[in-house]
């Protein structure tokens, strides 16, 4: 039967004898997947929306036109020897992990705690022994993350059906790993990628790994809130045209939507624009795995036509921290290249606890996908309604970012500048005096994330704590009570001397903060959270960037990435004369910098 398959069929199915099949005896015959099941799973991957089977050698077309937003329907499939539909019953990976852990066997394999028998006592007293019992390695019955043909593949197929992708990959390196894989799969050395300058550091590290050259979009910025928004279709169109004027074409466009504060970009229009130019759209949807599962929630990136979407399933959904998913739609991006990138980036010893938690989170959402967020949305609305009535407190809403179609209602951001407080101060008071822990604090705001575990009691404590802030600080005169809008706009004077990859590998030297002005930065310097770089390796260190970082530090922000968190010194990069500048924008950047330097001297 196998010999009758066409070469394309053998390659696509990923179960050729030379690569992924073994004749060794299975230790758990009861749960090992058969060759027949592998063939069934191959057929499943090649079932069109109408249910017809794609002929061997022909490309799969999951969308009738580029940018359409239909969810992909997945065929029902039977496990060999069973009459139970694949998507029914218990989560496949969770079930396999449970069955393997319950085997009464003598184990002579890693990890060294030996199913909890040698668990470190200090940790076992905190979390118990159960997690160690299920902390298992790549046993045959647990499948192989890099070449799945069993329960991991089953779990990923079910996730793809739920989230509306043509294919889904489980990630044990967080969304960071997914963003890196997405950029590496679409960009080769020297290719240009369009992305917002406030992208997560994972996008910067991806450019170091891939050799891609950034074409930055400066995001909308609200000085009253000191918050950056998303990007607009007009900004993306302008960036594409600017590259075309230099006889270049973007290899990909990356958009972060929603942002940490829940601000959503118009992905539908951006996707149409990208696809009209044959450019794949990557969406860093770390904060949006829940989108599209309630009428009050914005549509997901896949529903709006994204080609690749990376989601932190552990943020609003309920998998374990560090677990995420990468979703693909359509066939613009080469799936085999994605697989190769993930093999390079992911651990060869993935945690099955993380993988099983992804399967479990998918199953939890699948039980009631239309209603599971009813309570959370209701509580978020109650909280917003009560908080916006409190004197001296502002709530982030559309008037603040009118260029964007939606703000995630489960992300509640409050402004506290009328109280004469910074967001960091307000956050400390809420935590210390009221036991209310936020998700994110900024210079002028605090953000709270509502999720499936939020209770009405939690909302009551939150509202009570904010009322106490208002009653305590609104009437008290303070020397620094008047907190004027910041004149320091981040990312307004970006000046790139080296691309991220060049700067990463260039020789470095440490300079004092007073001597760093005009130096080429050699390290990623971020305010954390959310891990958005203020200065990136290869960029000129400007006075505005320094003032912005120092202002953040003085208001209580944690500086991450910098080897000296106190910012008394900064690592600079030595630029070799033999180095060639990449990108037509770099000479212009130097002219801007020299103009700024001359003005500073005068």
């Amino acid at each position: 039967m196998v010999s009758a398959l066409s070469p394309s069929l053998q390659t696509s199915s990923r179960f050729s004898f030379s690569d992924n099949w073994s004749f060794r005896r299975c230790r758990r015959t009861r749960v090992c997947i058969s060759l027949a099941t592998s063939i069934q799973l191959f057929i499943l991957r090649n079932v069109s929306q109408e249910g017809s089977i794609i002929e061997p050698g022909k490309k799969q077309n999951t969308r009738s036109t580029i940018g359409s937003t239909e969810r992909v329907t997945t065929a029902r499939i039977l496990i060999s020897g069973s009459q139970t539909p694949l998507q029914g019953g218990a989560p496949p990976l969770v079930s396999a992990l449970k069955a393997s852990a319950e085997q009464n066997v003598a184990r002579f394999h890693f990890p060294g705690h030996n199913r909890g028998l040698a668990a470190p006592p200090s940790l076992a007293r905190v979390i118990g022994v159960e997690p160690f019992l299920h902390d298992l390695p790549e046993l045959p019955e647990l499948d192989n993350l890099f070449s799945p043909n069993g329960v991991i593949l089953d779990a990923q197929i079910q996730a793809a059906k739920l989230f509306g992708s043509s294919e889904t990959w489980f990630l044990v390196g967080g969304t960071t790993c997914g963003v890196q894989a997405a950029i590496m799969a679409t960009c080769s050395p020297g290719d240009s990628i369009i992305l917002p300058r406030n992208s997560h550091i994972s996008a910067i590290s991806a450019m170091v790994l891939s050799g891609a050259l950034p074409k930055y979009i400066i995001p909308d910025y609200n000085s009253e809130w000191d918050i950056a928004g998303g990007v607009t279709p007009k900004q993306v169109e302008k960036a594409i045209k600017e590259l075309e004027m230099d006889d270049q074409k973007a290899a990909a466009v990356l958009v972060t939507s929603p942002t940490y504060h829940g601000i959503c970009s118009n992905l539908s229009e951006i996707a149409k624009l990208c696809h009209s130019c044959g450019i794949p759209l990557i969406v860093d949807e770390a904060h949006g795995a829940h989108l599209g599962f309630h009428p009050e929630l914005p549509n997901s990136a896949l529903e709006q036509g994204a080609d690749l979407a990376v989601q932190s399933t552990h943020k609003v959904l309920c998998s374990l921290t560090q677990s995420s998913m990468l979703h693909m739609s359509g066939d613009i991006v080469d799936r085999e290249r994605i697989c190769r990138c993930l093999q390079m980036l992911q651990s060869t010893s993935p945690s099955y606890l993380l993988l099983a938690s992804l399967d479990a989170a998918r199953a939890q959402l699948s039980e009631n996908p239309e209603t599971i967020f009813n309570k959370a949305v209701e509580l978020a609305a109650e909280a917003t309604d009560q908080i916006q009535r409190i004197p001296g407190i502002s709530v982030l809403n559309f008037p603040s970012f009118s260029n964007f179609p939606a703000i995630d209602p489960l992300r509640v951001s409050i402004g506290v500048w009328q109280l004469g407080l910074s967001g960091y101060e307000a956050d400390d008071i809420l935590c210390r005096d009221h036991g209310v822990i936020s998700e994110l604090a900024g210079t002028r705001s605090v953000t709270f994330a509502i999720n499936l575990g939020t209770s009405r009691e939690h909302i009551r404590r939150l509202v009570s704590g904010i009322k106490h802030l208002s009653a305590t600080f609104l009437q008290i005169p303070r020397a620094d009570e008047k907190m004027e809008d910041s004149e320091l706009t981040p990312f307004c004077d970006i000046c790139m001397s080296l691309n991220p990859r060049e700067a990463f590998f260039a020789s470095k030297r440490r300079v004092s903060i007073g001597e760093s002005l005009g130096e080429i930065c050699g390290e990623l310097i971020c305010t954390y959270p959310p891990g958005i770089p203020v200065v990136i390796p290869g960029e000129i260190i400007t006075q505005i960037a320094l003032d912005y970082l120092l202002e953040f530090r003085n208001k209580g922000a944690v500086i991450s990435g910098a080897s000296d968190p106190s910012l008394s010194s900064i690592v600079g990069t030595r630029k070799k004369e033999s180095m060639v500048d990449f990108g037509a924008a770099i000479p212009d950047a130097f002219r801007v910098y020299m103009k700024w330097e001359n003005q500073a001297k005068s």
Side-chain angles (χ1 to χ4, degrees):
M1 177 179 179
V2 174
S3 60
L5 298 177
S6 70
S8 61
L9 181 62
Q10 293 178 3
T11 301
S12 300
S13 63
R14 291 187 296 172
F15 59 82
S16 62
F17 290 113
S18 60
D19 293 330
N20 303 316
W21 200 258
S22 173
F23 284 102
R24 65 175 178 160
R25 184 177 179 182
C26 290
R27 285 180 274 173
R28 309 286 185 276
T29 307
R30 177 173 57 86
V31 294
C32 282
I33 193 163
S34 67
L35 178 60
T37 303
S38 294
I39 296 174
Q40 288 176 321
L41 293 171
F42 164 75
I43 294 173
L44 174 60
R45 286 200 207 96
N46 291 276
V47 174
S48 69
Q49 293 183 24
E50 292 77 19
S52 61
I53 298 177
I54 306 298
E55 294 180 12
K58 291 187 178 181
K59 288 186 176 180
Q60 180 181 357
N61 183 15
T62 58
R63 295 185 291 186
S64 56
T65 58
I66 291 178
S68 71
T69 58
E70 292 94 6
R71 285 183 179 268
V72 178
T73 57
T74 308
R76 293 164 70 88
I77 184 170
L78 301 180
I79 293 292
S80 179
S82 169
Q83 296 302 311
T84 304
L86 184 65
Q87 75 269 28
L93 186 51
V94 174
S95 300
L97 190 64
K98 179 177 183 293
S100 184
E102 291 175 349
Q103 294 286 337
N104 183 16
V105 294
R107 296 183 180 269
F108 294 91
H109 57 71
F110 302 141
H113 60 68
N114 203 332
R115 205 172 53 156
L117 296 176
S122 58
L123 184 57
R125 283 192 291 268
V126 175
I127 66 173
V129 179
E130 283 292 323
F132 293 97
L133 293 175
H134 298 88
D135 181 31
L136 299 174
E138 303 91 328
L139 300 173
E141 66 268 26
L142 296 181
D143 207 357
N144 184 335
L145 181 61
F146 287 163
S147 183
N149 61 4
V151 289
I152 292 179
L153 180 58
D154 297 352
Q156 291 183 158
I157 287 173
Q158 294 192 46
K161 179 181 180 181
L162 176 66
F163 289 97
S165 68
S166 57
E167 188 157 359
T168 290
W169 291 267
F170 284 2
L171 309 175
V172 293
T175 295
T176 290
C177 170
V179 169
Q180 291 171 341
I183 292 177
M184 292 175 66
T186 53
C187 299
S188 299
D191 284 347
S192 294
I193 178 171
I194 297 171
L195 73 166
R197 178 52 183 78
N198 63 330
S199 296
H200 189 264
I201 58 174
S202 58
I204 310 303
S205 61
M207 288 188 285
V208 173
L209 292 168
S210 67
L213 308 178
K215 173 66 175 177
Y216 288 126
I217 293 174
I218 305 303
D220 272 19
Y221 175 76
N222 187 299
S223 59
E224 183 178 48
W225 284 86
D226 193 20
I227 288 176
V231 300
T232 65
K234 287 185 178 180
Q235 288 176 311
V236 175
E237 182 178 24
K238 181 174 181 288
I240 292 174
K241 288 182 178 179
E242 287 177 351
L243 286 175
E244 289 176 347
M245 290 174 63
D246 294 326
D247 295 322
Q248 299 179 48
K249 177 183 176 181
V253 170
L254 171 71
V255 175
T256 302
S257 182
T259 67
Y260 212 140
H261 298 91
I263 301 165
C264 299
S265 296
N266 189 341
L267 297 179
S268 179
E269 291 301 315
I270 294 175
K272 290 178 183 177
L273 176 63
C274 290
H275 295 153
S276 68
C277 301
I279 302 171
L281 173 61
I282 304 167
V283 179
D284 179 349
E285 202 176 19
H287 293 273
H290 59 296
L291 298 187
F293 288 101
H294 189 278
E296 297 297 319
L297 296 176
N299 288 337
S300 71
L302 291 177
E303 288 176 311
Q304 296 184 69
D307 300 289
L308 294 173
V310 195
Q311 299 175 338
S312 292
T313 319
H314 64 269
K315 283 185 165 58
V316 178
L317 300 185
C318 305
S319 66
L320 293 176
T321 297
Q322 195 176 312
S323 59
S324 295
M325 295 187 192
L326 169 59
H327 305 289
M328 182 177 75
S329 185
D331 56 6
I332 294 180
V333 181
D334 182 356
R335 66 168 299 280
E336 294 301 330
R337 187 166 171 178
I338 294 176
C339 292
R340 290 194 297 271
C341 292
L342 288 175
Q343 287 182 5
M344 186 175 74
L345 295 166
Q346 299 228 74
S347 170
T348 55
S349 300
S351 167
Y352 275 86
L353 290 173
L354 296 181
L355 294 173
S357 77
L358 288 169
D359 191 24
R362 186 276 315 159
Q364 179 186 33
L365 187 56
S366 297
E367 291 177 1
N368 299 291
E370 306 297 330
T371 60
I372 189 171
F373 280 102
N374 282 357
K375 179 183 176 183
V377 170
E378 177 185 345
L379 291 176
E382 289 181 12
T384 300
D385 180 64
Q386 295 178 51
I387 292 171
Q388 63 188 6
R389 300 180 186 181
I390 300 174
I393 299 295
S394 302
V395 177
L396 184 67
N397 49 29
F398 281 113
S400 302
F401 288 95
S402 57
N403 290 334
F404 301 96
I407 295 179
D408 180 6
L410 299 187
R411 208 57 57 95
V412 179
S413 297
I414 65 168
V416 294
W417 59 85
Q418 296 179 62
L419 304 181
L421 296 173
S422 72
Y424 304 111
E425 291 172 318
D427 186 50
D428 288 342
I429 295 169
L430 289 172
C431 178
R432 182 185 67 240
D433 298 343
H434 302 278
V436 173
I437 301 177
S438 72
E439 172 56 33
L440 174 66
T443 58
R444 303 170 67 83
S445 65
V446 186
T447 299
F448 306 92
I450 312 298
N451 54 48
L452 294 174
T454 303
S455 67
R456 187 160 272 104
E457 169 61 18
H458 294 158
I459 299 298
R460 186 197 66 77
R461 291 176 66 176
L462 171 62
V463 174
S464 175
I466 297 174
K467 285 181 177 178
H468 181 265
L469 280 179
S470 173
T472 304
F473 294 97
L474 186 61
Q475 304 300 327
I476 296 180
R478 291 174 38 163
D480 59 344
E481 181 177 13
K482 186 179 179 181
M483 297 187 66
E484 298 179 353
D485 293 358
S486 176
E487 296 181 356
L488 301 174
T489 302
F491 321 128
C492 68
D493 63 340
I494 301 302
C495 180
M496 188 174 70
S497 177
L498 299 174
N499 69 55
R501 183 177 176 86
E502 286 179 322
F504 181 85
F505 289 106
S507 60
K508 308 292 191 300
R509 66 189 183 108
R510 182 176 299 280
V511 296
S512 68
I513 191 73
E515 299 173 336
S516 66
L517 192 61
E519 290 283 329
I520 302 173
C521 187
E523 55 187 351
L524 279 167
I525 306 179
C526 315
T527 54
Y528 186 85
I532 306 301
V534 176
V535 187
I536 289 173
E539 291 180 351
I540 300 293
I541 300 173
T542 65
Q543 188 66 57
I544 291 179
L546 286 176
D547 290 346
Y548 191 82
L549 283 168
L550 292 173
E551 180 181 321
F552 261 76
R553 184 199 64 182
N554 295 338
K555 289 183 177 179
V558 176
I559 306 299
S560 69
S563 56
D564 180 4
S566 69
L567 288 183
S568 60
S569 64
I570 290 179
V571 171
T573 293
R574 289 190 177 95
K575 181 179 178 182
K576 296 180 180 179
E577 293 183 1
S578 59
M579 280 188 173
V580 178
D581 289 340
F582 285 85
I586 294 179
D588 292 335
F590 272 115
R591 283 194 290 271
V592 171
Y593 169 64
M594 291 306 298
K595 180 180 178 181
W596 167 84
E597 186 180 50
N598 292 333
Q599 290 174 345
K601 288 180 180 179
S602 62

